[in-house]
């Protein structure tokens, strides 16, 4: 089959690799219908996170079960399913409490020795604990398939940030980051009943989506100017709930600066250079809580799926460029150059 492989920074290739096969009774082999490029994939692409030459890449996908191991009980050949970005066994103590990303037998797609989502097929370990079945009719609905793909990562990650930030009905929320996760954080805050949502971003195409998703205000400034602008909008105080969806030192400093005393930050931006941006003394003095981390998306899919199916929420606008598998290297360049927000792949 063909799959996306990373050989070195800025060296992404689509090449022939061995077809996936059932290795354990709990595996399925899935034919990929939709995949995409994540903002976090860019850290490997830019050389800021290490990868072995020839390693697979991609962790967001949905597709059709092509083959199921003898120990798989919940799925059959022909089922349409979505995969969260981490596989998990569904039986350990962490899975039982909803922290599927800490499953001792779990792992990330594209890790050494595993298939990546940006290919024609994927071997899925622990299928019963990992995959979520989708309505068969969705396979013929292009728009709905695109919306459902967001369940694999960005929609659940935005929701995790909103939950970590303590968003509740009537809340005032500020969102740092205008990427796909930040925009899904806006959607999640709206879904959870936030009354006022301030989106920080300076790219018109992205802030237009933020408004469509529920943002009431847009702040285009950055750094100290952004902190001042948010506080001016809120009468000198910060927001009760802040979503941090970038992961840099500046973004974390901004998040702390725009949080109201006694408020909470839900952080889901993959950290890259953000360690010195977290001043525990300031957070201690102002009673600011910090919650978040890698999102246990598998736990959230059953909650979010009905709203996507009904059209109550539609995250599909975050995908603004559609490509075939052979065009994946160009898709990475487009996201790296910020000419695309999030790239949809149709293998």
């Amino acid at each position: 089959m063909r799959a996306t492989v990373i050989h070195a920074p800025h060296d992404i290739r689509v090449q022939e690799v061995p077809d996936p096969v059932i290795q354990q009774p709990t595996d399925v082999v899935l034919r990929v219908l939709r995949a995409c490029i994540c903002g976090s994939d860019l850290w490997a692409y830019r050389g800021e996170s290490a990868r072995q030459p020839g390693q697979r890449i991609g962790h967001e996908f949905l597709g059709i079960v092509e083959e199921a191991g003898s120990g798989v009980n919940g799925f059959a050949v022909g089922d349409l399913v979505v995969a969260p970005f981490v596989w998990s066994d569904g039986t350990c103590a962490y899975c039982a409490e909803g922290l599927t990303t800490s499953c001792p037998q779990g792992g990330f797609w594209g890790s050494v020795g595993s298939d990546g989502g940006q290919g024609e097929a994927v071997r899925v370990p622990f299928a019963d604990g990992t995959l979520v079945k989708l309505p068969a009719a969705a396979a013929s609905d292009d728009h709905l398939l695109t919306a459902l793909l967001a369940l694999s990562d960005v929609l659940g990650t935005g929701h995790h940030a909103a939950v970590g930030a303590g968003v509740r009905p009537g809340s005032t929320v500020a969102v740092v980051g205008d990427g796909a996760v930040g925009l899904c954080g806006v959607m999640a805050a709206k879904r959870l009943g936030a009354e006022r949502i301030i989106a920080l971003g300076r790219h018109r195409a992205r802030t237009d989506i933020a408004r469509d998703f529920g943002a009431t205000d847009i702040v285009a400034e950055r750094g100290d100017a952004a902190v001042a602008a948010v506080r001016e909008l809120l009468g000198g105080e910060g927001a009760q709930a802040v979503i941090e969806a970038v992961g840099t030192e500046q973004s974390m400093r901004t998040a702390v600066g725009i949080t109201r005393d006694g408020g909470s930050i839900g952080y889901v931006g993959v950290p890259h250079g953000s360690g010195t941006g977290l001043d525990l003394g300031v957070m201690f003095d102002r009673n600011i809580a910090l919650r978040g981390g890698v999102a246990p998306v598998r736990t959230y899919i059953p909650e979010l799926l009905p709203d996507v199916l009904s059209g109550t929420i539609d995250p599909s606008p975050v995908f603004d460029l559609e490509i075939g598998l052979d065009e994946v290297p160009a898709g990475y360049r487009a996201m790296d150059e910020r000419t695309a927000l999030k790239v949809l792949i149709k293998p």
Side-chain angles (χ1 to χ4, degrees):
M1 70 167 187
R2 293 178 305 151
T4 305
V5 175
I6 183 167
H7 287 269
H10 300 281
D11 185 0
I12 294 281
R13 307 177 198 174
V14 177
Q15 61 188 56
E16 292 290 326
V17 300
D19 290 335
V21 296
I22 299 293
Q23 298 180 17
Q24 299 294 332
T26 52
D27 292 350
V28 305
V29 172
L30 182 152
R31 175 169 55 87
V32 177
L33 292 182
R34 296 288 185 278
C36 54
I37 301 172
C38 183
S40 63
D41 291 330
L42 296 180
W43 303 125
Y45 181 72
R46 294 167 179 163
E48 296 183 38
S49 59
R51 293 292 188 277
Q52 293 184 8
Q55 192 171 334
R56 307 286 179 82
I57 195 167
H59 56 261
E60 300 164 282
F61 59 95
L62 56 76
I64 302 288
V65 175
E66 294 276 275
E67 186 180 358
S70 60
V72 175
N73 299 309
F75 302 96
V77 172
D79 284 344
L80 177 67
V81 296
V82 63
F85 64 85
V86 170
W87 71 78
S88 52
D89 64 19
T91 61
C92 72
Y94 285 112
C95 288
E97 67 186 53
L99 195 60
T100 51
T101 50
S102 290
C103 177
Q105 298 195 87
F108 290 78
W109 310 112
S111 55
V112 176
S114 75
D115 293 322
Q118 295 163 13
E120 293 181 316
V122 175
R123 179 183 75 88
V124 178
F126 303 108
D128 285 331
T130 300
L131 300 173
V132 176
K133 190 179 296 186
L134 303 173
S140 59
D141 186 331
D142 189 68
H143 183 88
L144 180 57
L145 270 186
T146 300
L148 290 168
L149 177 60
L151 289 166
S152 65
D153 185 348
V154 289
L155 183 58
T157 298
H159 177 74
H160 187 55
V163 170
V167 177
R168 55 183 57 86
S171 295
T172 295
V173 182
V175 180
V176 182
D178 62 359
V181 170
L183 294 173
C184 285
V186 171
M187 176 174 283
K190 178 69 174 179
R191 179 180 174 275
L192 292 173
E195 182 175 316
R196 190 170 189 183
I197 303 171
I198 303 168
L200 280 68
R202 56 175 56 188
H203 303 89
R204 178 65 182 271
R206 301 183 181 202
T207 56
D208 284 349
I209 295 173
R211 288 195 182 278
D212 289 342
F213 282 3
T216 56
D217 303 270
I218 303 295
V219 167
E221 291 82 0
R222 301 180 71 178
D224 291 343
V227 173
V230 171
R231 288 186 170 273
E232 183 177 356
L233 284 171
L234 299 178
E237 297 187 345
Q240 298 162 315
V242 173
I243 289 172
E244 193 286 315
V246 182
T248 63
E249 176 179 342
Q250 177 177 296
S251 65
M252 187 59 79
R253 287 188 183 277
T254 298
V256 172
I258 63 178
T259 303
R260 183 182 187 274
D261 286 18
S264 300
I265 299 170
Y267 74 108
V268 293
V270 178
H272 42 287
S274 60
T276 55
L278 188 62
D279 190 330
L280 291 180
V282 170
M283 297 180 70
F284 181 87
D285 291 343
R286 297 175 51 212
N287 279 282
I288 293 174
L290 182 68
R291 293 188 294 268
V294 58
V297 167
R298 175 61 181 83
T299 299
Y300 297 134
I301 291 176
E303 176 184 348
L304 298 171
L305 176 58
D307 283 357
V308 176
L309 292 173
S310 69
T312 302
I313 56 175
D314 179 10
S316 64
V318 301
F319 299 98
D320 62 344
L321 177 61
E322 179 182 309
I323 62 173
L325 188 57
D326 289 334
E327 301 168 288
V328 167
Y332 271 84
R333 288 194 296 272
M335 285 185 62
D336 186 44
E337 296 166 0
R338 296 182 70 86
T339 58
L341 169 59
K342 189 167 181 66
V343 174
L344 175 70
I345 304 166
K346 292 184 176 180

